Amino acid sequence: MGDEGRRFAVTVGGRAYELIPSAGEVILPTHGSKIHHDARCTHLTDPDRLPRHPDPDGLLWRRLLDAEDPAAHALSIGLRNQRGRPLTGVCSCALRPVTESHAETLPYWPIDEALRVFDRSRHRAAVEDADREAAEIRAAFPWEEWPALALDRYALGQPDSPGQVYSHALEFGSKALGSITGGTAKKHFVYRQNHGAWWHDKRYGNVTEAWEQVRAGIVAAVTAAREGRVRDIDDIVAVRSGIMVVAKTLRVYAPEATLPVYSDSFTHHYLDRLSPGSAAKLQPFARKELLKSLIDDDSRFEGWPPQLVWHFLDWWAPARRTAARVVRVDASAPGAGWGSFVAAGVAAVDLDRVGDLHRYADQEDFTSAFVAAYADSGPSGQKLTAQAAEVWRLLDLRVGDRVVATAGKSEVLGVGRVVGNGYGWLPHLDSERPPWHAVTVEWDEEHAGRLDEPVADWGTSLVTDVPAALWRKIQRVSLAGHTEAPDDAPEDSGEAVEIPPLDEDLQRIDDALERRGQAVLFGPPGTGKTYHALRYAVRRLGELSDDLAGVDPLAEPGSKAFDATVGALSESGRLTVVTFHPSYGYEDFVEGLRPVKGVAGLSLEPTAGVFKRVCETAAADPGRLYLVIVDELNRGNLPRILGELITVLEKDKRGLPVTLPLTGDTFRVPPNVRLLGTMNTADRSVRMLDSAVRRRFAFLELLPDSRPLQDRRVDQLHLADFLDELNRRIRTHLDREKQIGHAFFLPEGTAVSTAAEFAAIVRGEILPLLQEYAYEDYGLLAAFLGEGLVDTAAHTLRDVSDETLVTRLYEELQVGTGAE
């Protein structure tokens, strides 16, 4: 194991790492909590004097990560720092976070090493649970009955008996078998919608015909699998649209035919790990047949049940981001409070008019029912839609996800981990408690306490995602002191803090950049385009920049730590921010002649532009991510600025050479460079961009979002209602690209609270925009803001005090619309 030149890709906690194996021993630090593989690690001081611990097979890092109690495991083998404390983590000199693109260039962690460390006994109960669930489904829906199975025994969406239909049992009642939850009910081929109509493939004339064809297709698929003809399932037209449903059905009725890997993308992923290149031209069930045959032919898996093989593959080379999701649930409601949570071992919401979430085919179906059921409860339709999304979020929680119970806007009552079957509908247990939407949780009150600053949406929402920075604060809350613990800063950064997955907005950006290499955030003014671009840079680059001092990937925008992180990333060259404008050219971005002072005076010499310099640096550092943010992308002449780069920017052409016309240099765009632009659609629509440029970028729209303004008021004016109504009027009279963004009212991330602050923003930023949109049409301006502020006869704005401005907007855009 001592070959220092070896490097492997490995996936841990849903993230890609480069594994630098140990040389047969690990280094024990003076303080801190991590083992080290490299004496040159910048996190160590005086490494030559530090003791070593034997690591003969080089697998200590994995055993430590997999230990149920890492501290106890470390102490049992004498793995301590020089202060006697157990080492429970692994330093980045052993596991270095890298981009997924870089991980793809490395050989994956050898399966032989993984098999030596994989603990089969820890998965025995899960395999038994899966077998039990499969047997229960076979007992409830015997295979002999399938050729004549009635539709009401199969289809989702039947409110009276959701637990007695096959589709429900497969998707929601058999989680030990593996999940197929997500997306819509269309994967089940036929289902009943909330309004009573049946959904089915329109190639069939009616639901009876559709069900007959689907049922015959399922029977044919299972029959083929039992006869060893799994690849023939690809030719069964009636079930082509439900690969996961058919695959899980095979697990129940033909358990030895395939591995319980239901997603085709997962099957493809595992084949690429076991036999690179073998899956590319195969169809989905031919891939599943090949994967099973590779395992059957491998003597290392002799005697392994298919379910255990899947557990191993998912542990060794997980095909998805597996970091735990973190949500927060309000635990202050009278009917579903903290005491009840702990007693019942759940996190719950008591909105009971809609019943079990499992009865609904998909989120759209549930939202429609929820809005109708609570239409008389007071909130607007938009708020009810948002509340429905919060409740539906419970259905997406999986074992291992984290739940934070809170009261008010700052009190943390406890932190728990989702266990068992996740979401369930709990009917009345007694006369005092209403039915609950509940998730089974193991609670830990150790992190109870009070945050230093309130969280605005905790006062208005039942269930919300917890951003990474907030999750760090919650983890550091002390039960005794009820304050946030100070940062520990030993040589290897002390105790590790769990980092949750990217939030939805940042994940969209990351997916787009991974897929295309470059993306554009576009939208109306004030929607946070630059804010999101920088937030993405700090989080994503920060995670991959463990070697830089002053980098905090969880820093919050507006904080000193955030600014310091942007500064550190910029100084290192991993983050570059430029702004395009009409005078910006190819010479600035790629290369051009620049005046250089010499002995004979000034002379023109070829000089690399911003992007060329970034690419040259990134090419020499392939394991790091380099990001170029281009603000105001659409203000530059893109075809001229990009020149011949328009070809080699494409993801599949990264690394190909192009000759630069000025110097004749061969230039390449390395795969670890990302380009993220922002553009204001009020200035120029995406449709106006050069078509060749447009084809090479992914476009992500950011629209006004009033949620950060919920429960925020300036005097009597509710900011969220004000923004929603103003934008409704703008959409009605103009278009969606000229709406007003929420960021106008969130200077430095905090909502305005005084009439003076609000009036200054309206007069100095909102009114000029609306006047520009209206082209001096004061009748149109009055349609936006009301005649209390716009004098249509005099073609002017009325001169009113700050307080009067707030009052008139309140009366026009809130009271006048019934939004109060």
Side-chain angles (χ1 to χ4, degrees):
M1 292 298 297
D3 184 359
E4 293 186 2
R6 297 197 313 162
R7 298 288 190 274
F8 300 112
V10 63
T11 304
V12 178
R15 294 178 174 85
Y17 290 86
E18 181 180 57
L19 170 63
I20 303 96
S22 76
E25 59 183 13
V26 298
I27 304 168
L28 310 182
T30 301
H31 44 80
S33 61
K34 299 174 184 176
I35 62 171
H36 295 257
H37 285 184
D38 191 345
R40 297 164 296 182
C41 179
T42 58
H43 296 144
L44 293 174
T45 55
D46 200 14
D48 292 337
R49 298 186 180 183
L50 293 175
R52 270 60 170 170
H53 187 282
D55 184 23
D57 61 4
L59 295 173
L60 186 56
W61 67 274
R62 188 78 223 201
R63 292 189 177 95
L64 190 58
L65 292 179
D66 287 345
E68 290 189 60
D69 186 340
H73 175 72
L75 292 173
S76 71
I77 61 174
L79 200 61
R80 297 177 173 87
N81 65 18
Q82 299 311 289
R83 296 180 178 178
R85 295 190 176 185
L87 300 181
T88 57
V90 181
C91 181
S92 58
C93 67
L95 279 179
R96 182 165 75 101
V98 295
T99 64
E100 293 182 17
S101 299
H102 179 66
E104 291 170 1
T105 68
L106 300 170
Y108 199 76
W109 182 41
I111 194 170
D112 282 331
E113 293 187 11
L115 285 167
R116 284 204 296 272
V117 143
F118 181 67
D119 185 355
R120 295 169 59 174
S121 65
R122 290 178 62 176
H123 300 274
R124 184 179 298 116
V127 173
E128 292 172 352
D129 287 344
D131 289 340
R132 174 184 50 77
E133 289 181 350
E136 289 172 353
I137 294 177
R138 288 193 297 269
F141 306 91
W143 180 242
E144 302 77 34
E145 296 180 4
W146 265 90
L149 190 71
L151 177 59
D152 62 5
R153 292 270 289 142
Y154 173 83
L156 287 175
Q158 301 174 83
D160 295 333
S161 55
Q164 299 175 27
V165 300
Y166 179 76
S167 294
H168 182 279
L170 202 67
E171 182 164 3
F172 303 116
S174 53
K175 294 186 179 180
L177 287 173
S179 174
I180 61 171
T181 300
T184 74
K186 293 178 182 177
K187 61 177 173 279
H188 290 285
F189 314 110
V190 181
Y191 69 91
R192 193 164 192 167
Q193 297 168 296
N194 184 58
H195 53 75
W198 286 96
W199 185 92
H200 56 80
D201 191 318
K202 298 309 176 190
R203 72 158 62 96
Y204 306 118
N206 54 58
V207 68
T208 300
E209 180 187 356
W211 170 233
E212 289 174 352
Q213 293 296 318
V214 167
R215 183 178 58 197
I218 293 173
V219 170
V222 173
T223 301
R226 288 180 163 187
E227 294 175 356
R229 299 180 291 105
V230 173
R231 65 178 55 228
D232 288 355
I233 299 173
D234 290 314
D235 297 324
I236 303 175
V237 176
V239 295
R240 279 179 179 165
S241 63
I243 293 171
M244 294 178 69
V245 167
V246 173
K248 192 167 182 180
T249 296
L250 298 186
R251 170 62 181 88
V252 175
Y253 295 104
E256 298 300 319
T258 61
L259 296 181
V261 181
Y262 308 134
S263 165
D264 184 44
S265 64
F266 285 19
T267 308
H268 201 309
H269 171 83
Y270 294 135
L271 282 172
D272 280 347
R273 290 282 178 260
L274 295 169
S275 179
S278 63
K281 297 182 179 180
L282 298 178
Q283 294 192 58
F285 283 93
R287 278 194 273 266
K288 295 184 188 302
E289 185 176 272
L290 175 59
L291 179 60
K292 182 61 162 57
S293 69
L294 289 174
I295 296 298
D296 288 345
D297 294 342
D298 191 330
S299 61
R300 293 172 296 188
F301 294 102
E302 185 176 355
W304 288 45
Q307 196 80 28
L308 181 61
V309 175
W310 174 80
H311 280 289
F312 170 77
L313 293 176
D314 190 54
W315 168 86
W316 170 57
R320 60 189 181 277
R321 296 169 189 258
T322 54
R325 184 179 184 182
V326 184
V327 301
R328 160 260 163 201
V329 177
D330 179 46
S332 60
W338 176 236
S340 301
F341 281 15
V342 174
V346 299
V349 172
D350 66 352
L351 294 171
D352 61 334
R353 297 184 189 178
V354 287
D356 191 346
L357 298 183
H358 292 146
R359 65 190 284 190
Y360 300 98
D362 51 34
Q363 184 174 352
E364 182 180 355
D365 198 23
F366 169 72
T367 299
S368 175
F370 187 92
V371 171
Y374 287 94
D376 61 350
S377 62
S380 65
Q382 185 176 18
K383 291 179 181 177
L384 287 175
T385 298
Q387 199 170 62
E390 293 175 26
V391 178
W392 189 260
R393 190 178 277 116
L394 297 175
L395 194 61
D396 293 333
L397 294 178
R398 299 287 177 268
V399 172
D401 286 345
R402 309 302 296 269
V403 182
V404 180
T406 66
K409 296 181 181 181
S410 59
E411 187 176 2
V412 176
L413 300 170
V415 175
R417 190 182 301 272
V418 177
V419 296
N421 289 325
Y423 171 83
W425 172 246
L426 298 184
H428 293 276
L429 294 182
D430 55 58
S431 58
E432 297 182 0
R433 191 188 65 73
W436 278 350
H437 300 283
V439 177
T440 308
V441 173
E442 285 184 351
W443 289 109
D444 175 5
E445 299 179 66
E446 178 182 351
H447 294 289
R450 186 174 295 276
L451 298 175
D452 285 347
E453 296 181 3
V455 182
D457 62 1
W458 284 12
T460 58
S461 303
L462 296 172
V463 184
T464 54
D465 285 320
V466 176
L470 180 57
W471 176 227
R472 179 174 59 179
K473 290 183 178 181
I474 291 169
Q475 290 179 88
R476 290 176 172 171
V477 167
S478 164
L479 177 62
H482 285 195
T483 60
E484 292 174 36
D487 291 343
D488 186 17
E491 59 196 4
D492 66 354
S493 300
E495 297 300 325
V497 175
E498 282 188 46
I499 299 180
L502 298 174
D503 63 41
E504 184 177 352
D505 290 330
L506 298 191
Q507 188 64 61
R508 287 176 63 215
I509 296 172
D510 196 56
D511 289 343
L513 290 174
E514 280 293 319
R515 186 176 67 253
R516 301 298 299 276
Q518 46 278 333
V520 176
L521 305 179
F522 72 99
T527 48
K529 298 175 287 296
T530 304
Y531 167 85
H532 282 298
L534 287 174
R535 207 162 62 89
Y536 174 78
V538 166
R539 176 64 193 278
R540 195 72 178 97
L541 294 180
E543 286 181 298
L544 302 172
S545 298
D546 54 283
D547 59 320
L548 297 180
V551 170
D552 180 0
L554 302 184
E556 295 183 84
S559 68
K560 292 181 179 179
F562 188 90
D563 294 341
T565 300
V566 171
L569 293 172
S570 299
E571 288 175 14
S572 71
R574 294 172 195 170
L575 171 64
T576 302
V577 182
V578 299
T579 301
F580 281 1
H581 49 78
S583 298
Y584 202 91
Y586 178 90
E587 299 80 8
D588 304 294
F589 201 59
V590 184
E591 70 174 12
L593 294 174
R594 293 292 185 190
V596 176
K597 189 175 182 179
V599 176
L602 292 177
S603 62
L604 294 176
E605 294 185 6
T607 304
V610 170
F611 191 67
K612 185 180 179 184
R613 294 196 299 270
V614 170
C615 289
E616 289 171 345
T617 304
D621 188 15
R624 304 289 182 187
L625 183 65
Y626 283 74
L627 178 66
V628 178
I629 294 177
V630 180
D631 212 14
E632 304 286 357
L633 182 84
N634 53 325
R635 294 190 64 229
N637 184 336
L638 292 182
R640 180 179 181 278
I641 293 172
L642 297 177
E644 60 280 337
L645 297 189
I646 198 67
T647 297
V648 292
L649 275 177
E650 292 191 73
K651 188 71 180 293
D652 62 350
K653 296 181 177 62
R654 293 293 182 92
L656 294 180
V658 63
T659 301
L660 300 180
L662 177 62
T663 59
D665 290 347
T666 297
F667 177 67
R668 293 174 172 84
V669 179
N672 58 324
V673 172
R674 302 286 186 268
L675 186 63
L676 181 59
T678 71
M679 62 175 287
N680 192 330
T681 53
D683 298 332
R684 187 182 186 189
S685 169
V686 170
R687 297 185 298 274
M688 302 298 291
L689 290 179
D690 179 85
S691 59
V693 173
R694 198 165 62 241
R695 287 195 303 270
R696 286 163 170 83
F697 283 78
F699 286 85
L700 306 175
E701 186 174 28
L702 296 180
L703 291 172
D705 180 4
S706 63
R707 287 177 298 177
L709 301 175
Q710 287 292 339
D711 201 31
R712 297 306 179 101
R713 286 177 166 79
V714 174
D715 296 337
Q716 70 270 55
L717 178 67
H718 185 261
L719 292 178
D721 290 343
F722 160 74
L723 184 66
D724 289 340
E725 175 59 18
L726 177 59
N727 281 328
R728 186 195 67 78
R729 295 184 180 194
I730 292 173
R731 292 193 303 271
T732 299
H733 294 283
L734 295 173
D735 57 59
R736 69 202 303 264
E737 294 181 342
K738 291 184 170 56
Q739 296 180 82
I740 301 299
H742 50 280
F744 282 112
F745 303 101
L746 293 164
E748 299 183 0
T750 302
V752 295
S753 59
T754 68
E757 292 175 320
F758 178 80
I761 291 169
V762 171
R763 292 193 181 100
E765 300 173 55
I766 306 302
L767 277 173
L769 263 180
L770 295 179
Q771 287 174 303
E772 179 184 341
Y773 294 165
Y775 296 104
E776 300 302 317
D777 181 347
Y778 280 80
L780 179 57
L781 199 59
F784 295 149
L785 300 174
E787 294 190 6
L789 288 181
V790 180
D791 188 335
T792 56
H795 283 207
T796 187
L797 300 173
R798 302 187 190 279
D799 185 14
V800 298
S801 68
D802 295 345
E803 290 75 12
T804 300
L805 182 144
V806 171
T807 299
R808 291 186 180 178
L809 287 175
Y810 164 72
E811 293 171 348
E812 172 69 24
L813 280 87
Q814 191 170 338
V815 176
T817 63
E820 188 180 19

